[in-house]
């Protein structure tokens, strides 16, 4: 028999706790965007409109579901901004086991909570690539394409519950994109983290990707996955409709596994995941899997052609679909503490942006030049032996202040005196970089 639908969340309230006047409940087939009927009577004879619209108090009328049918249910506000998604939710009135089973998110810092190198400062990228928020990059063509892509962490609540997002701005416009140029936002996933997808074999698993975005312009944008060798790419697109401009939207993509290409499975780049804002013809391919390095299709909008245009990215999740159900788990903001430990595998510093933690090394020599050594141990094992950069000040009777014995587990500060007597050096910054 049919069952009355009960809200899979406590009430139809927004993030401020206020009733969602005119809120909308959208019903789809589980894991898809295909509308699915609900009814206002237990006999399932009178269909509701889809979406079902709440009254001014945020209350919905009677909703009955078809038994043993999997639904995806999306609650939005009156302007269609997503509040939450329950997928799948079965017609017997419960979120199903598959929605409660955790598929591990392979994106690090997908909630954009960490920006240790730059804090909320701007990163202006004109060519090649620059690290932006932790584990995120802006990657542009070389030589310089002509425009400037500005990237920064922005404190603004997201539909998934994060307080942060990444914002890209066309700081200097580029009206004409040359064939070999492009502007992308990207994350590189270490091979160890994605090896179980088994790409490059006959056992390759499909990938489920969810992300939130907001664009100040309507258009079509590229999304691609590529291997380390830049010779095997999957390309698809997503669109921002005119009515979605300036609003948070959530997009989902299913990427079939591939037996083609070579995919690294240890400390190298396993996946390159790229969101394309503009690209020339050299990097424009067909939709789907292909040989080569491609970011988008010929339908790509030139985001960089509009000065001061903005594009936000947030709530990013990438999952290996081991159950082969095509069902994304409910997005959950990861623990900031756990995310910090993950990011420190790739980047560590004695102090984050906007702060300073001095390390003073001193000693005394009675025999001329003398070296004082201070070992530093990293909080987690890094991906490999990192490149080290330092800044020092307050050198007194010091010939050199350097680092030695760089490894994945730590580094040693080494201060050598110029002559006999007391000597001192202060390291104002020690940075270890093992990013992909």
């Amino acid at each position: 028999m049919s069952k009355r639908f009960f809200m899979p969340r406590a009430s139809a309230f927004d993030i401020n706790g206020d009733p969602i006047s005119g809120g909308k409940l959208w019903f789809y087939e589980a894991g898809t965007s295909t509308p699915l009927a609900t009814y206002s009577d237990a006999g399932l004879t009178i269909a509701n409109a889809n979406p079902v619209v709440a009254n001014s108090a945020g209350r919905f009328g009677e909703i009955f579901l078809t038994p043993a049918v999997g639904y995806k249910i999306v609650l939005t506000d009156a302007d269609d901004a997503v509040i939450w998604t329950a997928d799948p939710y079965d017609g017997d009135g419960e979120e199903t086991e598959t929605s409660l089973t955790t598929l591990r998110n392979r994106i690090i810092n997908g909630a954009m909570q960490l920006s240790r190198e730059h804090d909320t400062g701007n990163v202006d990228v004109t060519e090649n690539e620059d690290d932006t928020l932790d584990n995120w990059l802006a990657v542009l063509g070389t030589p310089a394409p002509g425009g400037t892509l500005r990237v920064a962490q922005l404190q603004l609540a997201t539909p998934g519950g994060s307080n942060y997002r990444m914002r890209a701005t066309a700081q200097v416009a580029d009206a004409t994109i040359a064939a070999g140029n492009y502007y992308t936002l990207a994350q590189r996933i270490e091979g160890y983290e994605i090896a179980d997808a088994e790409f490059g074999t006959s056992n390759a698993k499909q990938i489920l990707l969810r992300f939130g975005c907001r664009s100040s312009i309507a258009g079509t944008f590229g999304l691609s996955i590529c291997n380390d060798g830049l010779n095997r790419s999957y390309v698809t697109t997503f669109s921002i409709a005119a009515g979605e401009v300036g609003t948070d939207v959530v997009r989902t993509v299913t990427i079939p596994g591939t037996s083609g290409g070579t995919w690294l499975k240890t400390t190298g780049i396993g996946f390159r995941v790229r969101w394309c804002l503009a690209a020339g013809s050299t990097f424009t391919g067909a939709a789907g899997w292909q040989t080569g390095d491609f970011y988008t299709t010929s339908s790509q909008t030139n985001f960089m052609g509009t000065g001061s245009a903005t594009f936000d990215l947030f709530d990013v999740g990438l999952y290996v679909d081991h159950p082969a159900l095509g069902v994304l788990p409910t997005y959950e903001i990861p623990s900031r503490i756990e995310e910090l430990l993950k990011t420190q595998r790739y980047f560590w510093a004695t102090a984050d942006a906007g702060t300073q933690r001095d390390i003073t090394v001193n000693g005394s020599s009675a025999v001329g030049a003398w070296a004082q050594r201070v070992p530093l141990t990293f909080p987690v094992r890094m991906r490999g032996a990192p490149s080290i950069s330092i800044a020092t000040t307050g050198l007194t009777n010091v010939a050199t202040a350097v680092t030695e014995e760089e490894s994945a587990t730590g580094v040693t500060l080494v201060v050598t005196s110029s002559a006999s007597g007391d000597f001192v050096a202060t390291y104002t910054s020690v940075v270890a970089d093992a990013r992909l």
Side-chain angles (χ1 to χ4, degrees):
M1 61 175 292
S2 63
K3 287 194 175 183
R4 179 177 283 108
F5 162 73
F6 293 97
M7 291 280 282
R9 301 294 183 268
S11 297
F13 294 106
D14 63 19
I15 59 175
N16 298 313
D18 298 321
I20 306 173
S21 175
K24 302 174 184 178
L25 276 171
W26 306 75
F27 294 84
Y28 307 95
E29 293 180 8
T32 76
S33 56
T34 302
L36 195 58
T38 68
Y39 302 87
S40 61
D41 66 309
L44 306 183
T45 61
I46 304 172
N48 286 317
N50 196 358
V52 181
V53 180
N55 63 20
S56 60
R59 297 191 181 97
F60 296 91
E62 294 279 19
I63 303 174
F64 290 84
L65 307 181
T66 303
V69 170
Y71 286 79
K72 178 174 80 173
I73 304 169
V74 181
L75 174 66
T76 71
D77 63 16
D79 297 319
D80 298 337
V82 175
I83 307 299
W84 53 252
T85 299
D87 184 12
Y89 185 94
D90 68 30
D92 292 324
E94 298 178 346
E95 285 192 86
T96 67
E97 183 177 354
T98 53
S99 70
L100 302 177
T101 300
T102 300
L103 296 179
R104 180 164 61 93
N105 189 355
R106 311 310 170 93
I107 294 290
I108 296 177
N109 197 28
M112 312 298 178
Q113 299 174 94
L114 298 170
S115 182
R116 292 177 295 130
E117 186 176 13
H118 304 290
D119 195 24
T120 56
N122 297 321
V123 181
D124 288 337
V125 189
T126 57
E127 66 176 319
N128 202 2
E129 64 184 51
D130 269 307
D131 296 286
T132 57
L133 281 65
D134 283 40
N135 285 65
W136 290 95
L137 305 97
V139 186
L140 277 59
T142 302
T148 299
L149 183 64
R150 171 171 287 181
V151 182
Q153 183 192 51
L154 179 68
Q155 187 169 359
L156 182 64
T158 71
S162 177
N163 290 319
Y164 298 96
R165 60 184 66 201
M166 177 167 60
R167 171 162 291 181
T169 303
Q171 189 65 18
V172 176
D174 187 354
T176 304
I177 307 298
N181 286 335
Y182 52 86
Y183 297 79
T184 66
L185 303 174
Q187 180 160 140
R188 295 166 182 165
I189 303 176
E190 186 178 356
Y192 279 131
E193 290 297 307
I194 202 69
D196 59 320
E198 298 187 85
F199 273 32
T201 77
S202 59
N203 297 319
K205 311 294 191 299
Q206 71 178 5
I207 300 298
L208 307 177
L209 179 63
R210 171 202 286 117
F211 61 93
C213 59
R214 174 191 290 193
S215 176
S216 66
I217 65 170
T220 299
F221 303 93
L223 175 69
S224 66
I225 286 183
C226 189
N227 63 355
D228 175 70
L230 298 173
N231 53 28
R232 185 68 174 164
S233 305
Y234 181 87
V235 174
T236 187
T237 60
F238 62 96
S239 295
I240 303 297
E244 296 174 320
V245 168
T247 63
D248 291 343
V249 297
V250 177
R251 297 291 183 256
T252 61
V253 178
T254 299
I255 300 169
T258 178
S259 59
T262 300
W263 300 81
L264 302 187
K265 295 176 172 62
T266 58
T267 58
I269 298 173
F271 277 17
R272 302 171 186 265
V273 188
R274 294 93 59 98
W275 287 258
C276 185
L277 301 178
S281 58
T282 301
F283 297 96
T284 298
W289 282 110
Q290 56 216 282
T291 299
D293 181 22
F294 300 101
Y295 298 113
T296 188
T297 70
S298 58
S299 62
Q300 173 74 41
T301 296
N302 180 13
F303 168 86
M304 293 299 298
T306 303
S308 300
T310 60
F311 180 88
D312 296 357
L313 187 63
F314 51 85
D315 297 347
V316 184
L318 184 147
Y319 310 87
V320 179
D321 187 16
H322 284 286
L325 296 174
V327 177
L328 279 156
T330 301
Y331 187 76
E332 181 178 3
I333 302 302
S335 160
R336 191 179 188 279
I337 296 172
E338 293 177 0
E339 291 284 83
L340 177 60
L341 290 173
K342 289 180 181 179
T343 61
Q344 286 177 335
R345 177 169 170 80
Y346 307 95
F347 179 83
W348 176 84
T350 49
D352 295 342
T355 64
Q356 184 171 320
R357 176 193 165 207
D358 294 344
I359 301 176
T360 299
V361 180
N362 54 50
S364 183
S365 171
V367 293
W370 181 264
Q372 185 73 14
R373 310 171 73 84
V374 176
L376 296 180
T377 301
F378 302 139
V380 299
R381 185 181 184 88
M382 301 196 76
R383 184 179 65 88
S387 62
I388 302 292
S389 59
I390 61 172
T392 60
T393 189
L395 306 182
T396 302
N397 189 24
V398 169
T400 59
V402 296
T403 62
E404 295 180 359
E405 301 172 344
E406 296 89 351
S407 74
T409 58
V411 65
T412 300
L413 310 183
V414 183
V415 177
T416 303
S417 63
S418 299
S420 299
D422 295 340
F423 60 94
V424 62
T426 297
Y427 291 76
T428 56
S429 173
V430 180
V431 175
D433 190 343
R435 291 177 285 204
L436 292 160

